[in-house]
Amino acid sequence: MKEVALIVVCYLIGSIPFSYIFSRFVGKVDIRSQGSGNVGATNVLRTAGPGIAILSLIGDVFKGIVTAWLGVNSGIPFMIIACPLAAAVGHCYSIFLGFKGGKAVATSAGIIIFFSYQQVLILLAIFIVIVWMFRYVSLGSITVAVVFPVLTVVFDQSWYNIVLSILLAALVIYRHRGNIVRLRKGTEPKLGQ
């Protein structure tokens, strides 16, 4: 019963919509009705500016770090998967936003930061190169999601982290399914547009 309660708490932590909160109350912009309408740092950058986007990004990353810590400190291997995954799902399907939300990239980054800073540095480098070359943030996010489980196998052979990396990658890619369609059609907006 304690495990279920902890998973629910992690989902609620993940559901905290920092992008919406900061853009709405600091930037005076409702990002749900601006840009792509997505409640994520990229849309905040486009509609509310870099300062608020950075605040939103920090908040979303922090959710991943906290819930990964809660999972590890539960002492139960299954919870190492369930707690951070619940936060990522909460970010995507926030109870506070009518079960809508972002795409779990920043929250997943926080989870990765907690488990392996080496992976974060490699993934960040890949993300920057992809975005710099092609100007698509979504393509950078999708590429990193594909590479993430491979790096986890290289850096950490623990079964629970490998399973977690696969599930997080699948969630991020699934949440980018609309972006994938637009990338294939050539209608995905580039960074700066």
Side-chain angles (χ1 to χ4, degrees), residues 26-54:
V26 179
K28 308 300 182 187
V29 175
D30 186 347
I31 56 171
R32 297 175 300 177
S33 60
Q34 302 289 325
S36 66
N38 181 257
V39 186
T42 302
N43 195 39
V44 176
L45 178 63
R46 289 188 178 122
T47 59
I52 295 172
I54 290 170

Side-chain angles (χ1 to χ4, degrees), residues 13-20 22 39-42 44 53-67 87 91 102-111:
I13 291 171
S15 289
I16 300 170
F18 285 112
S19 295
Y20 172 78
F22 287 127
V39 186
T42 302
V44 176
I54 290 170
L55 286 174
S56 303
L57 188 65
I58 291 170
D60 290 343
V61 168
F62 187 68
K63 294 189 294 190
I65 294 171
V66 168
T67 54
H91 178 80
K103 297 182 179 176
V105 176
T107 302
S108 296
I111 296 165

Side-chain angles (χ1 to χ4, degrees), residues 70-140:
L70 288 171
V72 168
N73 280 273
S74 72
I76 304 168
F78 171 73
M79 297 299 283
I80 296 172
I81 300 169
C83 286
L85 182 62
V89 170
H91 178 80
C92 295
Y93 304 99
S94 171
I95 193 171
F96 305 117
L97 296 175
F99 299 100
K100 295 180 180 179
K103 297 182 179 176
V105 176
T107 302
S108 296
I111 296 165
I112 303 167
I113 287 169
F114 180 83
F115 286 111
S116 174
Y117 73 89
Q118 297 100 326
Q119 285 189 66
V120 171
L121 295 176
I122 294 168
L123 293 172
L124 181 60
I126 293 170
F127 177 82
I128 290 170
V129 168
I130 295 294
V131 174
W132 177 74
M133 287 176 64
F134 300 102
R135 308 297 293 171
Y136 292 116
V137 173
S138 59
L139 183 60

